[in-house]
């Protein structure tokens, strides 16, 4: 059984999420692809970098913008393991990313479908197409395992 191109890139984003977990960060990974080539990547780093904006998506956009020499990232697709928050969804619009593919829903802070539909506004000057649920089980699992481990560690310290 072969996997789709979206599943392939999401698996790459999952590897980045694992890297975040190794650094005690919430395990979310993002990879930006254009013409079947990686142009940017990132994983969550707000704790270690002391930067509240250091979400996986933002770091992937920054990396791509530097690599491309342009903050406009047209004709690109962002793959991220968890549904983006409002900050990250807004950055996708500003960067002119063409497509977003995310894994698991983020029921508390997801700004694409879970809490708000931030990418669907008629007022937006750019339309980001999106699809969720790609490798959703694996993407949700890595976060669930991470937080279960943190809860256990917290209980063991008592």
């Amino acid at each position: 059984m072969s996997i789709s191109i979206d599943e392939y890139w999401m698996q790459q984003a999952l590897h980045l999420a694992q890297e975040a977990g190794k650094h005690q960060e919430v395990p979310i990974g993002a990879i930006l692809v254009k013409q079947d080539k990686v142009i940017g990547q990132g994983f969550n780093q707000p704790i270690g970098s002391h930067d509240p904006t250091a979400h996986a998506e933002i770091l992937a956009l920054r990396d791509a913008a530097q690599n491309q020499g342009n903050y406009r990232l047209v004709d690109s697709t962002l793959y991220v393991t968890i549904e983006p928050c409002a900050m990250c969804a807004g950055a996708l619009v500003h960067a002119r990313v063409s497509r977003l593919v995310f894994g698991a829903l983020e029921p508390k802070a997801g700004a694409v479908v879970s809490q708000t539909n931030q990418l669907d506004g008629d007022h937006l000057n750019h339309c980001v197409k999106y699809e969720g649920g790609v490798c959703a089980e694996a993407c949700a699992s890595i976060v669930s395992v991470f937080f279960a481990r943190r809860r256990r560690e917290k209980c063991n310290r008592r």
Side-chain angles (χ1 to χ4, degrees), residues 77-137:
T77 299
L78 181 78
Y79 294 88
V80 61
T81 55
I82 300 293
E83 176 186 2
C85 69
M87 173 184 69
C88 295
L92 295 175
V93 172
H94 289 293
R96 307 296 195 268
V97 169
S98 298
R99 185 167 173 253
L100 162 68
V101 178
F102 63 89
L105 294 172
E106 208 314 354
K108 292 182 181 179
V112 178
V113 296
S114 292
Q115 288 298 321
T116 62
N117 301 94
Q118 192 165 326
L119 298 178
D120 292 331
D122 290 335
H123 65 284
L124 297 173
N125 61 351
H126 175 71
C127 177
V128 179
K129 294 180 173 111
Y130 60 86
E131 178 181 349
V134 176
C135 302
E137 199 171 298

Side-chain angles (χ1 to χ4, degrees), residues 3-44:
I3 63 171
S4 73
I5 193 72
D6 286 345
E7 290 169 324
Y8 171 80
W9 289 117
M10 189 62 71
Q11 288 176 0
Q12 305 312 303
L14 276 163
H15 290 300
L16 292 166
Q18 290 170 341
E19 192 63 31
K22 291 177 188 175
H23 291 90
Q24 304 307 308
E25 302 275 2
V26 176
I28 299 173
I31 191 163
L32 198 65
V33 176
K34 183 174 181 174
Q35 298 174 342
D36 295 320
K37 292 187 173 121
V38 175
I39 60 170
Q41 58 186 12
F43 56 84
N44 263 14

Side-chain angles (χ1 to χ4, degrees), residues 133-149:
V134 176
C135 302
E137 199 171 298
C139 292
S141 176
I142 192 170
V143 173
S144 296
V145 168
F146 174 81
F147 282 114
R149 187 181 75 238

Side-chain angles (χ1 to χ4, degrees), residues 42-82:
F43 56 84
N44 263 14
Q45 298 181 54
I47 298 166
S49 67
H50 309 291
D51 179 357
T53 69
H55 290 195
E57 301 94 321
I58 299 297
L59 295 177
L61 291 172
R62 287 177 185 163
D63 187 35
Q66 289 298 309
N67 290 334
Q68 297 292 291
N70 194 337
Y71 74 103
R72 298 281 171 102
L73 302 168
V74 297
D75 299 324
S76 63
T77 299
L78 181 78
Y79 294 88
V80 61
T81 55
I82 300 293

